[in-house]
Amino acid sequence: MTQIPPVTTMPTNATDRSTGGSDVAALRDISRRVLWLAAAIVDAANRGRRNETGIKVGGHQASSASMVDIMVALWFHHLTHLDRVSVKPHASPVLHAINYLLGDLDPKYLTMLRAKGGLQSYPSRTKDPDTVDFSTGSVGIGATAALWAAISHRYLASQFPDTPPAGRFVSLLGDAELDEGAIWEAVADPQVSKLGELLWVVDLNRQSLDRIVPDMQIERLQGMFAAAGWQVVVLKWGRIISELFSRPGGEELRSRLEVMPNEEYQRMLRVDSSEIADRIMGETGSAELKALLASLTSEQLRAAVRDLGGHDLGLLVDTFDAVDAHRPTVVFAYTVKGRGLPTEGHPNNHSALLTEAQVRSLAESCGVSLEDPWRMFETGTEAAELCSRRGELLRRSPYTPTAPISVPASLGRPHRKASSTQAALGRLLADLVRDAPEAAARVVTCSPDVASSTNLGGWINKTGVWSVAERFDWFADDTERVLRWSEVHNGQHIELGIAEVNLVSLAGELGATWSRWGQRLIPIATLYDPFVSRALEPWSYGIYAGGQSILVGTPSGVTLAPEGGAHQSITTPSIGLEQPSCVAWEPAFAQDLEWCFLHAMNQVGIPGGTSAYFRLSTRPIDPALAQVPKDPMLRERRRLQAVAGGYRLRALSPADEQVTLIGVGAMMPEVIAAADALEGLGVKAGVVCLTSPDLVFRSFQQRGARAAGGGSNIIDELFPALHPTPLVTVLDGHPHTLSYLAGARGDRIRCLGVTEFGQSSDLTDAHKLHGIGTDAILDAALTLLGR
């Protein structure tokens, strides 16, 4: 049976190893100032700013207060400029307060929390004006980002020797954040146990938004980290109260406090200090405990019961310096939510705002005034000197970006045989190694245990599987093996367990390396399209945070008909169309896939770049149906139309059309067959093949826009204003995806698609079941024509 590593409780009688007494005193001064600044930033946003809407601005003064000492110990003692830190969403004001003291934030922003052009409500890597390493706000997702960034840097360093070094990857998260499943999907990944550069600090204030967290929960969480191979450190008590534990009656005091339910402890923080001794004694306290409590003044006892490990600056800095560098570490730091504020410990303090009287009282206790809230430390004081030194040490120089990389517009591969777009992607990646090695070297693929079933086998055979540590390949001599699964330090495919959240989170961080360390990557993540919805929030988070990647959902729709409703995706076309900073594609033909995919690769990992989502199919389609021109000039014109969003098929003038059939992806054979059937009935039907309904919608939206840049006019090429006709749209997804096309010219429209769960069947029966086959298209066209 595997042994679970023990939980470590840091010795509370340790001396300050890394900081002399004067430095700890300076840290305490800085801590009080940061507490004030964080509270004042929120106060200025709520009381100090005109609000005509009546909508609460908000902020999290209590959640910030519990993090102050932890963050001061990190930023003003432990961190280097190589470290990267993810800060829990509700501690955003603390981060900005620290950056201000370090000279990294213009004071004008201190009054602009949650205002246009100001400080974001939660840390934002792309929108805040000061240094923010990771965007947070999606609880649980931002905390794991540092983990995936650590893997991304290790990958970079294994591929490119000139990759800049990195330090620790730190995540600061609240204990309630550990309820999120994304946390445990990441922690459980086998490669994570080898990441010694990973440090998580849990703000164990034992409160969530609505409740006080039960004690049992905390013990269970610590065991789960230990079972996953993490070093677990618990900072429960500070040194002041630990000294009391060593006196006669001290063990009974410790036992009483540790057996006490969280709710009872929190209530004790709210009573008058004169009541604390009686609450500790209860009905069973011994004479020895009574004597110990009687030896303390009420104020000394008040301070002692608040002396938790997460507020002991000397203990914190010693702990951070001593963590194991060979495996990930999680530090559970016990804190008080609202520490130092009038709201400390109250179960409803999560979003509570201090009154003006409370703010003035806080200012006085922190040595500042409400009239001069942003005053810096006096020059020459130890606190001022420490802020200056740390500001210089943490200042970062911009990295030199990767030299421009040429991604070809086309590989020139002839597409003669029927092929699915999924299979075409596999061949494209395999060919890329030979035809465009410079671009191929920047590609990294990843998959949640579906690499072979999403056609990455050829790519993997050529490039290998990357792993934190190489593993011996026991099947290397197996002549019958088709997929060569060699896990090596320089492979270019990263395999994860069946966890789509992990997949897109890693892809987001791989797609951010160009801006973190100046090294461009082109991450390509493949998963089954029905599970895009499962990964939607972390995928969107990664894009919001500045990660650029290509997500491939395959197989899509109902075209894998025997799999039935369990593997059926309906809403994903709309998801792709609606996702900001991402272009959604659904090409029908292998040639279109090649052009569009290479175009998308060229937009990834660069300033101003964009992510992409490809919805692919396992259905083989005859390339002859695409009627790709042989003439080089016409062929290039077709390519440009394909990467703009769509093109017209059939040699028919729009002026002669009686109806226009519009298809997407795997439905194009039915669309073309319906057009042929209409022709046999004497009806002239135009055919439009959309490679990206997303780009066509953008073209529609940009019509007449006054903004500079204009955009593509593909909507007018596909649907000329002078030649309106009824429209029939069809796709293997929800029909409303293309309903906007009715507005292009005001045409009558009939939208066909999938609106119900399916069942196992063959493809023909699936098309009949959902009304998207050739007959349904033909019937819709004739109905629009009144026949």
Side-chain angles (χ1 to χ4, degrees), residues 407 425 428-429 524 550-552 585 592-602 614 616 643:
V407 177
L425 172 63
L428 183 152
L429 291 174
I524 300 169
I550 299 175
L551 183 65
V552 178
W585 304 87
D592 292 346
L593 181 280
E594 176 188 311
W595 286 335
C596 297
F597 205 87
L598 291 171
H599 175 79
M601 286 175 58
N602 207 31
F614 279 82
L616 304 185
V643 300

Side-chain angles (χ1 to χ4, degrees), residues 264-278:
E264 183 181 357
Y265 172 80
Q266 299 277 107
R267 184 69 187 100
M268 187 173 60
L269 300 178
R270 302 292 305 168
V271 302
D272 188 271
S273 56
S274 62
E275 299 180 31
I276 296 176
D278 289 340

Side-chain angles (χ1 to χ4, degrees), residues 536-695:
L536 180 57
E537 184 197 354
W539 176 44
S540 183
Y541 159 84
I543 297 174
Y544 167 77
Q548 300 169 11
S549 61
I550 299 175
L551 183 65
V552 178
T554 182
S556 65
V558 299
T559 51
L560 192 61
E563 295 281 355
H567 276 184
Q568 168 184 305
S569 54
I570 295 176
T571 62
T572 49
S574 295
I575 288 173
L577 191 149
E578 294 163 10
Q579 175 59 47
S581 302
C582 176
V583 177
W585 304 87
E586 191 171 350
F589 303 102
Q591 182 62 78
D592 292 346
L593 181 280
E594 176 188 311
W595 286 335
C596 297
F597 205 87
L598 291 171
H599 175 79
M601 286 175 58
N602 207 31
Q603 309 304 310
V604 170
I606 58 174
T610 185
S611 294
Y613 161 53
F614 279 82
R615 192 172 188 259
L616 304 185
S617 171
T618 54
R619 183 189 186 186
I621 297 180
D622 184 355
L625 294 176
Q627 303 173 13
V628 179
K630 294 182 180 180
D631 179 83
M633 290 184 62
L634 295 179
R635 182 184 178 87
E636 174 62 9
R637 184 173 185 272
R638 168 66 68 84
R639 185 191 72 82
L640 292 174
Q641 290 174 328
V643 300
Y647 53 86
R648 282 182 158 269
L649 285 172
R650 304 171 69 86
L652 182 67
S653 169
D656 297 328
E657 288 178 15
Q658 295 171 271
V659 65
T660 305
L661 309 184
I662 304 149
V664 180
M667 297 311 304
M668 283 309 299
E670 280 67 34
V671 172
I672 293 170
D676 290 340
L678 286 168
E679 186 175 352
L681 296 173
V683 176
K684 296 180 179 179
V687 175
V688 173
C689 176
L690 299 185
T691 55
S692 173
D694 184 2
L695 289 179

Side-chain angles (χ1 to χ4, degrees), residues 341-540:
L341 303 180
T343 57
E344 68 176 359
H346 194 282
N348 301 126
N349 65 8
H350 182 79
S351 298
L353 298 173
L354 302 185
T355 65
E356 181 177 350
Q358 290 173 328
V359 173
R360 288 190 180 278
S361 176
L362 177 65
E364 183 178 352
S365 68
C366 293
V368 294
S369 72
L370 190 55
E371 286 65 42
D372 186 17
W374 317 123
R375 178 168 57 86
M376 300 289 276
F377 288 109
E378 296 295 333
T379 303
T381 61
E382 290 189 26
E385 293 296 325
L386 182 55
C387 288
S388 178
R389 289 198 309 271
R390 295 297 297 173
E392 284 297 321
L393 190 147
L394 294 174
R395 188 163 292 117
R396 299 171 186 168
S397 300
Y399 292 114
T400 303
T402 304
I405 297 166
S406 175
V407 177
S410 174
L411 296 182
R413 162 189 275 274
H415 298 279
R416 298 191 181 96
K417 297 181 180 179
S419 172
S420 70
T421 48
Q422 176 180 296
L425 172 63
R427 286 197 298 271
L428 183 152
L429 291 174
D431 289 347
L432 200 68
V433 178
R434 179 191 65 241
D435 297 344
E438 182 185 31
R442 297 287 168 173
V443 171
V444 52
T445 60
C446 45
S447 178
D449 201 38
V450 292
S452 56
S453 58
T454 54
N455 280 71
L456 295 183
W459 164 261
I460 291 172
N461 285 343
K462 287 192 175 186
T463 63
V465 178
W466 182 87
S467 178
V468 170
E470 291 195 13
R471 299 181 63 187
F472 186 78
D473 183 5
W474 290 99
F475 284 84
D477 59 348
D478 186 349
T479 58
E480 296 181 2
R481 186 176 67 170
V482 176
L483 181 62
R484 295 189 292 275
W485 198 266
S486 299
E487 297 187 31
V488 292
H489 74 280
N490 61 346
Q492 288 182 248
H493 173 77
I494 303 177
E495 188 77 359
L496 300 106
I498 305 175
E500 288 81 9
V501 170
N502 285 354
L503 172 76
V504 295
S505 298
L506 174 59
E509 286 303 321
L510 289 167
T513 59
W514 67 274
S515 56
R516 290 200 191 281
W517 299 290
Q519 289 281 13
R520 181 184 181 185
L521 289 176
I522 305 174
I524 300 169
T526 65
L527 79 167
Y528 289 171
D529 196 63
F531 307 135
V532 167
S533 300
R534 184 184 299 175
L536 180 57
E537 184 197 354
W539 176 44
S540 183

